[in-house]
Amino acid sequence: MKIPVLPAALVTPFHGFAILCGAGLLAALLWPDPLVSRVLFLHILVFLQGIISLQIGEAEYGYGPLSLAARLWRLLFFSFLALALALPFLLVYRAETAASWPSFFASLAFLFAHGFGWTLVGYALAAVVRWEGLRFLAKYGGFLVASLLPVVFGWPVSGLTVLPALWERRGSGWLGLALYLGLSGVGVIWWWKKPKRSWAK
């Protein structure tokens, strides 16, 4: 399959994502408290990635009629592109925090699964919720609840806790990684099994 062209609706979000990643890295490196500094960029990154992933899914739903395979390829590619934009900042952060390479690659795997999962959510919401205002609330409100509520209850399923745990090679991170990889796999299976007449243009 050929490399997809970035839709015009995603040019500004991708630029903003890269700029905010850079600003987040700078803030983390300059933060005076080393305990906060060690995880601050990871929190910023996983939050920004969720936002850009929702925007990718929504923009893709409005991008012309395509086959299921072509649409899935585009969703996967743009999820990977968002991760690639963050990669240089992650490499700098790895050097600054002395994180191990296994932790680094496990974190990349989690970020890809996390991003792709929220991309599917963005696509599904664009298909189901037609009213833009309600979709906005469902999209970003749902993301905030899914990210913050598990933190409040201490569940190791939020990206805000899973990514730092993987970075530090703590056991709870592997559970979160397995969960998101599993959910992404379920998402792909659902994609192929869903009725062709629905949710796809």
Side-chain angles (χ1 to χ4, degrees):
M1 292 184 179
K2 64 180 182 179
I3 296 176
V5 177
L6 188 68
L10 288 177
V11 172
T12 298
F14 267 86
H15 285 166
F17 174 71
I19 292 170
L20 290 174
C21 281
L25 175 62
L26 183 62
L29 296 180
L30 296 178
W31 200 270
D33 186 342
L35 293 179
V36 174
S37 175
R38 189 165 182 84
V39 298
L40 180 59
F41 176 63
L42 302 176
H43 287 166
I44 293 172
L45 176 58
V46 80
F47 181 80
L48 292 175
Q49 190 205 34
I51 298 298
I52 189 68
S53 297
L54 288 167
Q55 292 174 332
I56 290 171
E58 185 175 22
E60 266 304 296
Y61 180 76
Y63 187 80
L66 294 171
S67 67
L68 288 178
R71 182 73 72 188
L72 180 61
W73 163 242
R74 288 176 62 86
L75 292 172
L76 286 168
F77 178 81
F78 291 133
S79 296
F80 176 79
L81 180 60
L83 181 58
L85 287 176
L87 184 58
F89 305 109
L90 274 170
L91 287 169
V92 172
Y93 202 63
R94 192 209 72 82
E96 290 293 330
T97 58
S100 67
W101 283 110
S103 297
F104 177 79
F105 288 116
S107 298
L108 287 183
F110 168 76
L111 284 169
F112 183 78
H114 176 265
F116 179 65
W118 283 109
T119 297
L120 291 178
V121 171
Y123 186 94
L125 284 174
V128 173
V129 184
R130 300 294 182 169
W131 184 45
E132 188 173 349
L134 181 59
R135 187 168 66 247
F136 180 90
L137 291 175
K139 185 170 57 174
Y140 297 115
F143 174 68
L144 286 174
V145 170
S147 297
L148 297 178
L149 194 62
V151 177
V152 173
F153 289 100
W155 301 333
V157 295
S158 168
L160 295 173
T161 54
V162 174
L163 184 57
L166 286 171
W167 200 259
E168 301 288 346
R169 301 187 75 174
R170 298 196 301 268
S172 59
W174 298 106
L175 175 62
L177 175 61
L179 173 66
Y180 275 87
L181 287 174
L183 289 175
S184 295
V186 170
V188 172
I189 294 172
W190 161 81
W191 186 270
W192 287 111
K193 296 296 184 181
K194 70 186 180 73
K196 293 185 179 181
R197 64 176 179 82
S198 67
W199 301 26
K201 290 188 174 183

